[in-house]
Amino acid sequence: EVQLVESGGGLVQPGGSLRLSCEASGLTVSRHYIIWVRQAPGKGLEWVSVIYSDGSTYSADSVKGRFTISRDISKNTLYLLMNSLRAEDTAVYYCARTSAGDIWYFDLWGRGTLVTVSS
Amino acid sequence: EIVMTQSPATLSVSPGERATLSCRASQSVYNSLAWYQQKPGQAPRLLIYGASARATGIPARFSGSGSGTEFTLTISGLQSEDFAVYYCQQYNDWPPHFGGGTKVEIK
């Protein structure tokens, strides 16, 4: 079965750090464009960071300099390292795959992992 | 950046009826428009891409139309499993932006 499974969420204090994982099965992460999208409680969807198949990475201005997306090809897993966390980073974080290269709609999503930033 | 606006925010529909959801882009996205369905506690599910093409496994009661700046998602003969939140998303320009969503609820 082709799937993405996120993990690593939890409760963290403001200013703290957390690393999210997105483990892929049935697909090879290095061949796909994969994005992290977040959804704050009761809110809509917001892109966070993306990694291209060639390894290039980009992040939204709201997280630039604080969040880093990376991947481990040997583990077929993507990561989102989140530093200097703020209350407004509280959200469910999803990883998702583009259907075809750099055509940015998403045909496969994980179930998400909840990050809560609170003291 | 392109802003996506969905209307209405909430749509009350009786089972078996038709639901019509709207999505407007702040500038032309041509036909680079996708629709997703999201149920509580679940990830978004791709319904429509290219403004009108149904994704794999999506029932024919879901149809998309429009181009440029105005788009519509129509759900014909609403079934109980269709009550959810629906998001549009443009992918003509980077970054991909989602609309604020339309909640389809039981009337």
Side-chain angles (χ1 to χ4, degrees), chain B residues 87-103:
Chain B
Y87 294 95
C88 64
Q89 178 231 323
Q90 72 82 20
Y91 54 94
N92 183 68
D93 266 6
W94 181 262
H97 269 304
F98 297 85
T102 291
K103 180 179 181 180

Side-chain angles (χ1 to χ4, degrees), chain B residues 4 13 19 23 25 30 33 37-38 42 51 58 61 64 67 70 74 77 81 83 85 88-89 92-93 98 105-107:
Chain B
M4 307 301 294
V13 185
C23 174
Y30 302 92
L33 194 285
Q37 175 193 68
Q38 187 178 35
Q42 297 186 19
I58 301 304
R61 64 180 182 273
S67 65
E70 302 284 342
T74 302
E81 62 265 32
F83 292 96
V85 179
C88 64
Q89 178 231 323
N92 183 68
D93 266 6
F98 297 85
E105 64 176 24
I106 300 175
K107 187 175 182 180

Side-chain angles (χ1 to χ4, degrees), chain A residues 35 37 39 43-47 50 52 58 61 94 99 102-112, chain B residues 1 34 36 38 41-46 48-50 87 89-91 93-100:
Chain A
I35 195 169
V37 173
Q39 186 171 36
K43 302 296 184 182
L45 300 161
E46 176 192 24
W47 85 281
V50 62
Y52 287 18
Y58 302 90
D61 288 344
Y94 299 99
S99 177
D102 61 352
I103 302 176
W104 294 101
Y105 64 89
F106 312 105
D107 69 339
L108 179 67
W109 296 67
R111 298 177 67 91
Chain B
E1 295 186 354
Y36 301 86
Q38 187 178 35
Q42 297 186 19
R45 172 194 180 197
L46 178 67
I48 301 287
Y49 63 94
Y87 294 95
Q89 178 231 323
Q90 72 82 20
Y91 54 94
D93 266 6
W94 181 262
H97 269 304
F98 297 85

Side-chain angles (χ1 to χ4, degrees), chain B residues 2-107:
Chain B
I2 298 176
V3 177
M4 307 301 294
T5 303
Q6 291 186 242
S7 61
T10 303
L11 187 61
S12 298
V13 185
S14 299
E17 292 189 342
R18 172 181 296 182
T20 303
L21 290 67
S22 296
C23 174
R24 174 177 292 179
S26 60
Q27 63 190 74
S28 178
V29 299
Y30 302 92
N31 70 338
S32 298
L33 194 285
W35 289 94
Y36 301 86
Q37 175 193 68
Q38 187 178 35
K39 298 179 181 179
Q42 297 186 19
R45 172 194 180 197
L46 178 67
L47 298 176
I48 301 287
Y49 63 94
S52 60
R54 277 189 300 276
T56 302
I58 301 304
R61 64 180 182 273
F62 292 91
S63 63
S65 63
S67 65
T69 61
E70 302 284 342
F71 301 89
T72 300
L73 175 70
T74 302
I75 312 170
S76 303
L78 267 162
Q79 300 189 7
S80 57
E81 62 265 32
D82 300 335
F83 292 96
V85 179
Y86 292 83
Y87 294 95
C88 64
Q89 178 231 323
Q90 72 82 20
Y91 54 94
N92 183 68
D93 266 6
W94 181 262
H97 269 304
F98 297 85
T102 291
K103 180 179 181 180
V104 177
E105 64 176 24
I106 300 175
K107 187 175 182 180

Side-chain angles (χ1 to χ4, degrees), chain A:
Chain A
E1 182 184 5
V2 181
Q3 62 178 355
L4 299 169
V5 178
E6 303 94 336
S7 61
L11 175 64
V12 61
Q13 293 187 340
S17 297
L18 211 55
R19 190 182 77 161
L20 306 184
S21 299
C22 170
E23 184 174 0
S25 55
L27 70 142
T28 303
V29 296
S30 61
R31 296 179 182 173
H32 294 276
Y33 291 55
I34 299 183
I35 195 169
W36 284 97
V37 173
R38 67 184 179 184
Q39 186 171 36
K43 302 296 184 182
L45 300 161
E46 176 192 24
W47 85 281
V48 176
S49 294
V50 62
I51 187 165
Y52 287 18
S53 56
D54 69 359
S56 302
T57 63
Y58 302 90
S59 291
D61 288 344
S62 58
V63 305
K64 199 170 293 183
R66 300 189 299 123
F67 289 13
T68 303
I69 187 172
S70 63
R71 67 189 181 191
D72 185 331
I73 295 174
S74 67
K75 296 183 178 179
N76 211 29
T77 299
L78 280 89
Y79 302 100
L80 186 67
L81 176 61
M82 304 184 296
N83 295 324
S84 303
L85 281 161
R86 307 166 180 168
E88 56 264 35
D89 296 318
T90 294
V92 176
Y93 285 74
Y94 299 99
C95 57
R97 177 192 75 175
T98 64
S99 177
D102 61 352
I103 302 176
W104 294 101
Y105 64 89
F106 312 105
D107 69 339
L108 179 67
W109 296 67
R111 298 177 67 91
T113 186
L114 176 62
V115 173
T116 303
V117 184
S118 174
S119 55

